[in-house]
Amino acid sequence: MKVADQEAEDRKPQSDEARSAFTQPTGVIPQPPAPEDESQTTSEFAIPTGLPNLSSPNLASTTQETEKSAFTTPNTYSSRNAPPAFTPPHGIPLVKLTKETPWQDQMRTMLRMPVAERPTPEASQKHEDETGPAVPRVLDLTLRIGELLLAGGEGAEDVEAAMFAVCRSYGLDRCEPTVTFTLLSISHQPSLVDDPVTASRTVRRRGTDYTRLASVFQLVDDISDPESEISLEEAYRRLAAIRRNRHPYPGWALTAAGGLLAGSASVLVGGGALVFVIAAVGAMLGDRLAWLCAGRGLPEFYQFVGAAMPPAAMGVTLSLVHSQEVNASAVITGGLFALIPGRALVAGVQDGLTGYYITAAARLLEVCYLVVGIVCGVLLVLSLGVMLDATSLRPETTFVAVDSRPVIQILASMALSLAFAILLQQERHTVLIVTLNGGIAWVMFGALAQTSLELSPVAATAIAAGLVGLFGQLFSRYRFASSLPYVTAAIGPLLPGSATYFGLLALAQNDMNTGINSLTKAAATALAIAIGVNLGSEVSRLILKIPGATTAANRRAAKRTRGF
């Protein structure tokens, strides 16, 4: 009976539990449970059973087995001769952003570092809530600040440094600003797995107002200062006030400054009192004619053509009336001094030297167009003067005994720098400094080129411009401001006005070789000015404290391509 019941039980279908993969098969002897031991480790980091312990004394017996593991240290490894790691043994140098250094140098040092080596930003400005900064508003504020700086003539590297400073002050990491001639863009990527946020802005209008430029620099300096609390609303309010501010000098003052600039330049090249007055009147007429062209919507090229014609016409008229009695060529040269775009030339060469080649090429092309406009305006009048046989326009009758009046020339150079500063709409407290800087530049040029040293005019111009750049950078670092207000007006006496005039006159007389040689000399002088200014600024940074570098040798360069 028991056997029949057992067979019937075996014929019953098996339950789900019987078919489970975790059910112990029939015929397997069950293992006794392991004794509970509280001292026995159960961590997931414990070495599993069967894997040899690498720290065990009998490691030699299992060498053949463990060398095949991917986690085993090779027997050729030596801690003393370890291969170089990704991070250098001495570590990545720490960049200390201290208030003792201007924010321009702080951010320039950060921009020249690889992204992986940049330290995490410490937000110097607080936020109203705990959710973090409003990324679109911070990027928009950054672009608006960069637009004002770029429109004011600031270099591309300094514009990027200002934009980078604003973003890091509001706590945005992984920001990459990009500046070209008319386009600003900035990209922010919160992390490697988040989508980047990119914004851009186009600069359509540009103007010269160094007072506004200084105010924008002051705003960026205050935002970068951890001791001052500036919210986004406060920054927007101050930026709007900067845009609404009127120019510090009225229109009549700018016209008078243009006349003073041309008259002073004519005295520099040998003119007298009558030449000073006539050059001033011609420059003021050219300025009014240029304003008339601008009011009719004509491009800037035609504005320069119109501005160059009245000074040239005054010089030709004076030559026809007084013949050899008055140096009429000085009148035209003074008008050229007032028109040569030295500011754009310096900014273009500076961008090229710092590695921003697209912006540099665009700015230098703009300079070429403006110079061609000046050439067209002057050549139209000079051709008429040559046909009327204006003998006083010949080069051999001009610029005699230029170096015989050193005191008058120094005063004229200072007056020229003063007028240039007013035309650039500089702050009143910077006008005296830049006037003295311009006088020092002319004294240095005269000491090198018009004395017994007899240095080449191009080399003397480069050295004098380097001194201007050095002093301008020192003044800007002292006031935590831009160096342009202290540099641009001071290079006015060094501009190649006389060489440009001689070249244009030779072209008007169909003397192509002489004209091209003279214009080439003028271009070399202009480049010497721009390179000298940039070199003076770089020398000042080499001898002064740089954040993150104990010596000047540790300073990062803008580019290190070595020519390939």
Side-chain angles (χ1 to χ4, degrees):
M1 185 66 180
K2 292 182 179 180
V3 176
D5 293 341
Q6 183 65 31
E7 293 178 355
E9 186 70 22
D10 294 338
R11 287 194 299 267
K12 289 181 180 181
Q14 293 183 351
S15 63
D16 294 338
E17 182 179 1
R19 292 193 301 268
S20 174
F22 298 96
T23 304
Q24 189 172 10
T26 305
V28 177
I29 302 175
Q31 297 291 332
E36 296 183 0
D37 187 4
E38 296 182 357
S39 63
Q40 183 178 1
T41 177
T42 59
S43 172
E44 61 271 18
F45 298 101
I47 300 177
T49 305
L51 184 65
N53 189 356
L54 299 181
S55 61
S56 176
N58 55 357
L59 180 62
S61 61
T62 59
T63 301
Q64 184 177 0
E65 178 183 358
T66 58
E67 279 190 352
K68 300 179 181 179
S69 174
F71 300 97
T72 305
T73 304
N75 55 0
T76 58
Y77 175 80
S78 175
S79 58
R80 294 184 177 181
N81 300 322
F86 178 77
T87 302
H90 51 78
I92 298 176
L94 176 64
V95 177
K96 298 180 180 179
L97 304 180
T98 59
K99 184 59 181 176
E100 287 73 16
T101 55
W103 60 264
Q104 298 99 310
D105 286 341
Q106 299 174 15
M107 296 302 110
R108 187 181 292 107
T109 303
M110 300 285 291
L111 285 172
R112 292 179 178 182
M113 295 176 60
V115 178
E117 297 182 10
R118 295 176 184 171
T120 304
E122 298 179 1
S124 59
Q125 303 299 328
K126 299 179 180 179
H127 308 290
E128 298 179 355
D129 49 18
E130 300 298 332
T131 59
V135 175
R137 297 196 66 192
V138 173
L139 297 184
D140 179 71
L141 175 66
T142 303
L143 290 174
R144 292 176 182 271
I145 290 177
E147 177 189 10
L148 288 180
L149 293 177
L150 187 62
E154 191 61 69
E157 187 178 29
D158 290 330
V159 175
E160 284 194 1
M163 297 172 64
F164 197 66
V166 174
C167 288
R168 292 184 66 87
S169 298
Y170 286 106
L172 296 187
D173 194 11
R174 296 179 179 273
C175 285
E176 288 296 334
T178 304
V179 176
T180 56
F181 183 55
T182 58
L183 180 64
L184 298 168
S185 63
I186 187 168
S187 178
H188 166 65
Q189 188 174 13
S191 65
L192 295 177
V193 297
D194 294 330
D195 295 332
V197 180
T198 303
S200 62
R201 195 174 185 89
T202 303
V203 180
R204 302 188 182 277
R205 290 180 59 88
R206 285 168 299 174
T208 303
D209 189 346
Y210 282 180
T211 299
R212 177 181 297 175
L213 187 70
S215 301
V216 177
F217 262 75
Q218 184 62 46
L219 174 60
V220 177
D221 183 64
D222 293 340
I223 292 176
S224 305
D225 187 4
E227 298 179 359
S228 61
E229 297 183 3
I230 299 180
S231 61
L232 284 174
E233 287 72 17
E234 176 67 16
Y236 270 108
R237 186 193 65 79
R238 290 182 56 177
L239 193 62
I242 292 173
R243 285 180 174 273
R244 290 194 303 266
N245 284 345
R246 301 184 62 181
H247 299 307
Y249 306 103
W252 64 266
L254 298 180
T255 302
L260 177 61
L261 193 154
S264 302
S266 65
V267 174
L268 279 180
V269 294
L274 181 60
V275 172
F276 176 90
V277 174
I278 296 177
V281 173
M284 288 189 288
L285 291 177
D287 180 75
R288 289 295 91 191
L289 183 58
W291 277 106
L292 181 62
C293 295
R296 296 297 184 269
L298 292 177
E300 197 171 13
F301 175 84
Y302 301 104
Q303 297 176 26
F304 271 76
V305 173
M309 294 178 68
M314 296 290 288
V316 171
T317 304
L318 185 63
S319 176
L320 293 175
V321 173
H322 291 275
S323 184
Q324 303 290 336
E325 299 177 4
V326 180
N327 190 351
S329 297
V331 176
I332 304 176
T333 304
L336 291 176
F337 266 88
L339 295 176
I340 295 176
R343 175 183 59 88
L345 176 66
V346 171
V349 175
Q350 179 182 359
D351 289 339
L353 294 177
T354 52
Y356 296 84
Y357 300 114
I358 297 178
T359 306
R363 285 187 169 178
L364 293 178
L365 183 61
E366 180 191 30
V367 171
C368 291
Y369 272 104
L370 299 182
V371 171
V372 170
I374 298 172
V375 169
C376 293
V378 175
L379 278 181
L380 288 176
V381 181
L382 285 182
S383 300
L384 179 61
V386 171
M387 288 188 297
L388 296 177
D389 195 18
T391 57
S392 184
L393 297 177
R394 295 175 183 174
E396 59 268 15
T397 63
T398 59
F399 306 110
V400 179
V402 175
D403 56 345
S404 61
R405 306 177 301 172
V407 177
I408 295 178
Q409 287 188 339
I410 292 174
L411 294 178
S413 65
M414 296 176 65
L416 192 153
S417 299
L418 172 65
F420 208 169
I422 296 176
L423 288 175
L424 294 175
Q425 303 279 1
Q426 292 191 196
E427 295 178 296
R428 288 180 171 85
H429 70 271
T430 64
V431 173
L432 178 60
I433 297 176
V434 75
T435 301
L436 295 176
N437 201 8
I440 293 174
W442 183 258
V443 169
M444 176 61 67
F445 171 78
L448 295 176
Q450 299 179 357
T451 59
S452 59
L453 295 178
E454 295 183 355
L455 196 64
S456 169
V458 176
T461 301
I463 296 175
L467 191 64
V468 169
L470 177 61
F471 286 166
Q473 190 63 226
L474 293 177
F475 282 123
S476 67
R477 293 175 68 93
Y478 174 73
R479 294 184 177 271
F480 289 84
S482 173
S483 61
L484 288 182
Y486 302 98
V487 170
T488 307
I491 65 173
L494 304 176
L495 293 176
S498 58
T500 305
Y501 165 71
F502 285 153
L504 297 181
L505 181 60
L507 292 179
Q509 296 173 341
N510 292 325
D511 188 357
M512 302 301 296
N513 293 332
T514 304
I516 293 176
N517 290 336
S518 185
L519 291 179
T520 302
K521 179 182 177 181
T525 304
L527 291 178
I529 293 173
I531 295 174
V533 169
N534 181 265
L535 183 60
S537 301
E538 294 297 327
V539 168
S540 68
R541 296 192 185 105
L542 287 176
I543 64 178
L544 295 176
K545 181 180 179 181
I546 298 297
T550 56
T551 62
N554 293 333
R555 178 176 178 269
R556 292 183 180 271
K559 294 284 184 181
R560 295 194 66 185
T561 59
R562 293 184 175 88
F564 53 85

